[in-house]
Amino acid sequence: MLKQLRHIPIGLVILAIGLALVVVGITQGGFVDVLRKAALICYECIGLG
């Protein structure tokens, strides 16, 4: 079992963890919060906020 794990590139492991965290964030509504904050920051930058 340990020999099989050594053949998996570390980049693939990091990619899989990253994708899993993105999915968790989306399912918990994190995308909406980030989008709302980004819109507020943009409005403040152009003087509307």
Side-chain angles (χ1 to χ4, degrees), residues 13-31:
V13 173
I14 293 172
L15 179 65
I17 292 170
L19 286 174
L21 290 173
V22 167
V23 169
V24 168
I26 290 172
T27 58
Q28 291 183 351
F31 175 72

Side-chain angles (χ1 to χ4, degrees), residues 38-49:
L40 288 174
I41 290 171
C42 288
Y43 289 146
E44 289 176 1
C45 288
I46 60 174
L48 295 177

Side-chain angles (χ1 to χ4, degrees), residues 3-19:
K3 288 184 179 181
Q4 291 176 342
L5 290 178
R6 289 187 179 191
H7 294 290
I8 299 173
I10 191 70
L12 264 168
V13 173
I14 293 172
L15 179 65
I17 292 170
L19 286 174

